[in-house]
Amino acid sequence: MTTATALRYQILNPATGQVEETFETATDADVAAALDATQAAYAEWGARPMAERVAVGQRIAELFYERKDELGRIATREMGKPLSESIGEAEFCGDIFKYYADNAEKFTADQEIESTIGGKAVIQRRPVGPLLGVMPWNYPYYQIARFAAPNLMLGNTILLKHAETVPGSALAMQKLLDDAGLPQGVYQNLFATHDQVADIIADPRIQGVSVTGSERAGSAIASLAGKHLKKSVMELGGSDPFVVLDAADVNEVVETAWATRIENTGQACNSNKRMIVAEGVFDDFVAGLVEKAQGLTPGDPAEEKEGTFAPMSSRAAAEKLHEQVQDAVSKGATLHVGGELLDGPASYYSPAVLTGITPEMRAFKEELFGPVAAVYKVSDDDEALQLANDTPFGLGGSVFSTDTERARRVAERLEVGMTNVNAPSAESFEMPFGGVKRSGFGRELGPLGMDEFVNKRLLYIAD
């Protein structure tokens, strides 16, 4: 094992820039004990009748509903999400756990297949063992829930390494699952270092790893998983196209586009980071976005006063976004409104509207992970489609038109894992989530979310 590094788990309030609480990283002895415990817990949890696991899952859902306000305040404090969104996130986690508890029996039911050699052949779905989850800060409960809920119902056990910036949410999640009746060792939060994560992946008891995060993190962990022959699921970055072919009411489409882009202060993997708009509605569309962004002032995310905007998750994140926008402006892009990095230690970056982006700019290929509406003008459907697919990412995408069939034809050709017509996304607990290209591989949520870390075992009984 390796020794702990200087990695720091701390609550740094992005609205003030002040560190409010710090936590010790796990020792190597902590990691060794957690690995022992997860293996021991799997032997018992995986062997339990499904009905018993489901009962715990139902209780987890109830606790999310009961504690949503408390959980929301914790998340808002440490990563700056507007409070109503934090509360909504916690409530959605309840929906996810309830969905998998309600459907676990159906999703894992034996599947008899035709046999040409006589006898009876059945595909069984069984747990595979202890798993590692490496999760990000932007949705500190939801990201865990969509990984943990199906796997806990399957009978797998989990070690969870959360982002260093949301330790309060990580601990609140651990307490909720413990209070719901999960046996000791079934789910364990670890304030692990990067070196310890590598050691955990290498341990033969760990059977898979799920990562939601940046390309860099995904590449590093996927390479380790491959080296040690571990199954992995990767949900990485995105630069989703939001294609507008025409509009009967431009203001209505603008309202949808802006609400989607500004959700979580623009820090969502599947946000509409590239708005690709037909020239016939482009000017009105941009004017509508500018009107939405004008006059906004920094505000406390716990209060959400009208006319204010929340901070980004960290000063470093805001500074990176500012650099990307300034690079575009320096090379000829037009910044219509916003794009101001406020002075001081807080993480406020004013929502912006940017046009005139060209391939030599960082903003053309890089993910803009913050409140920037990047808008492109196109002349026809083919140009829109070409631009939509001209990205290393392939998470989601959407196409809007008064002609649904026209929009569907374009949406069908998007190189993404989730394609949508006349809606920015189809986000619900039953809708599979995941991408292609550099956005990763594997699926979470829906029935596919319970079909990743599972032993699809063949049982054959001869005549």
Side-chain angles (χ1 to χ4, degrees):
M1 295 286 285
T2 55
T3 56
T5 68
L7 194 68
R8 288 184 298 175
Y9 286 81
Q10 61 184 19
I11 297 174
L12 193 162
N13 189 326
T16 65
Q18 301 301 311
V19 175
E20 298 184 359
E21 198 169 354
T22 59
F23 301 83
E24 295 294 327
T25 55
T27 65
D28 288 346
D30 294 333
V31 173
L35 285 164
D36 288 342
T38 196
Q39 181 65 30
Y42 170 65
E44 190 272 334
W45 181 246
R48 280 195 184 195
M50 175 66 79
E52 293 186 19
R53 296 198 296 267
V54 163
V56 177
Q58 295 284 9
R59 182 56 182 154
I60 292 170
E62 292 170 0
L63 289 182
F64 267 111
Y65 299 141
E66 292 173 12
R67 298 180 184 181
K68 62 183 181 180
D69 292 338
E70 174 192 350
L71 294 170
R73 286 190 294 272
I74 293 170
T76 292
R77 173 193 176 199
E78 61 188 359
M79 58 77 58
K81 191 192 303 287
L83 182 59
S84 63
E85 294 182 20
S86 296
I87 293 171
E89 178 185 340
E91 190 169 23
F92 188 34
C93 292
D95 295 341
I96 292 170
F97 271 95
K98 185 176 187 304
Y99 171 76
Y100 282 111
D102 288 345
N103 289 282
E105 293 277 6
K106 179 174 68 174
F107 290 162
T108 59
D110 288 354
Q111 176 187 353
E112 187 168 354
I113 60 174
E114 183 178 352
S115 171
T116 63
I117 58 174
K120 181 178 181 180
V122 177
I123 296 173
Q124 300 176 313
R125 284 171 168 80
R126 298 293 186 266
V128 294
L131 307 173
L132 171 66
V134 180
M135 295 294 130
W137 48 263
N138 59 334
Y139 292 91
Y141 306 120
Y142 162 68
Q143 303 284 10
I144 298 178
R146 67 187 196 182
F147 163 57
N151 285 300
L152 291 175
M153 294 304 92
L154 273 168
N156 295 322
T157 56
I158 291 172
L159 296 181
L160 200 290
K161 188 272 179 205
H162 216 324
E164 303 89 78
T165 55
V166 289
S169 298
L171 293 174
M173 187 78 166
Q174 178 76 69
K175 185 175 190 308
L176 186 151
L177 296 178
D178 289 344
D179 291 349
L182 272 186
Q184 186 175 2
V186 171
Y187 177 95
Q188 299 174 83
N189 176 74
L190 274 176
F191 290 152
T193 68
H194 295 153
D195 290 341
Q196 289 169 339
V197 167
D199 291 337
I200 293 169
I201 295 172
D203 191 284
R205 290 167 290 190
I206 296 297
Q207 299 302 309
V209 56
S210 179
V211 176
T212 300
S214 67
E215 286 181 86
R216 180 181 177 184
S219 178
I221 294 177
S223 65
L224 286 169
K227 176 182 177 181
H228 297 289
L229 299 178
K230 306 296 175 70
K231 169 71 183 286
S232 63
V233 168
M234 297 284 151
E235 198 277 278
L236 309 177
S239 191
D240 290 14
F242 182 101
V243 180
V244 182
L245 303 177
D246 58 62
D249 185 343
V250 175
N251 289 331
E252 182 179 333
V253 182
V254 166
E255 183 71 35
T256 299
W258 182 253
T260 304
R261 189 65 190 99
I262 210 69
E263 196 268 332
N264 205 28
T265 318
Q267 300 165 120
C269 298
N270 64 327
S271 181
N272 52 339
K273 300 188 179 78
R274 293 177 301 137
M275 303 180 192
I276 299 170
V277 183
E279 58 187 359
V281 294
F282 179 84
D283 290 342
D284 290 341
F285 186 89
V286 172
L289 290 176
V290 170
E291 185 178 349
K292 291 285 186 184
Q294 279 178 335
L296 298 178
T297 58
D300 184 343
E303 295 181 2
E304 294 188 88
K305 292 182 179 178
E306 187 175 354
T308 65
F309 61 91
M312 292 182 62
S313 64
S314 69
R315 183 73 184 182
E319 290 174 351
K320 177 183 178 181
L321 183 65
H322 187 58
E323 290 171 0
Q324 291 170 306
V325 171
Q326 289 302 305
D327 171 78
V329 171
S330 72
K331 295 173 181 174
T334 300
L335 180 61
H336 296 261
V337 63
E340 296 179 357
L341 179 64
L342 274 66
D343 294 333
S347 306
Y348 288 95
Y349 187 81
S350 58
V353 178
L354 190 67
T355 64
I357 301 169
T358 54
E360 68 271 13
M361 301 170 187
R362 292 176 58 188
F364 189 84
K365 291 291 188 183
E366 295 181 10
E367 180 179 22
L368 298 179
F369 208 64
V372 176
V375 194
Y376 299 78
K377 183 193 293 186
V378 292
S379 59
D380 56 32
D381 295 8
D382 287 339
E383 186 182 0
L385 183 64
Q386 181 182 9
L387 180 57
N389 288 334
D390 188 10
T391 172
F393 298 104
L395 190 54
S398 57
V399 183
F400 289 76
S401 173
T402 54
D403 182 342
T404 301
E405 181 58 25
R406 176 189 179 191
R408 187 195 66 79
R409 288 196 299 268
V410 175
E412 288 271 17
R413 296 172 65 191
L414 292 178
E415 297 169 355
V416 297
M418 303 171 287
T419 187
N420 309 276
V421 173
N422 290 331
S425 63
E427 290 190 31
S428 182
F429 45 80
E430 76 275 15
M431 298 292 179
F433 189 105
V436 296
K437 300 199 286 191
R438 295 193 68 81
S439 288
F441 44 82
R443 294 295 181 266
E444 296 180 311
L445 298 179
L448 300 186
M450 209 167 194
D451 217 30
E452 290 287 353
F453 296 105
V454 60
N455 176 10
K456 299 166 191 173
R457 185 173 66 186
L458 171 68
L459 171 63
Y460 175 73
I461 303 172
D463 290 333

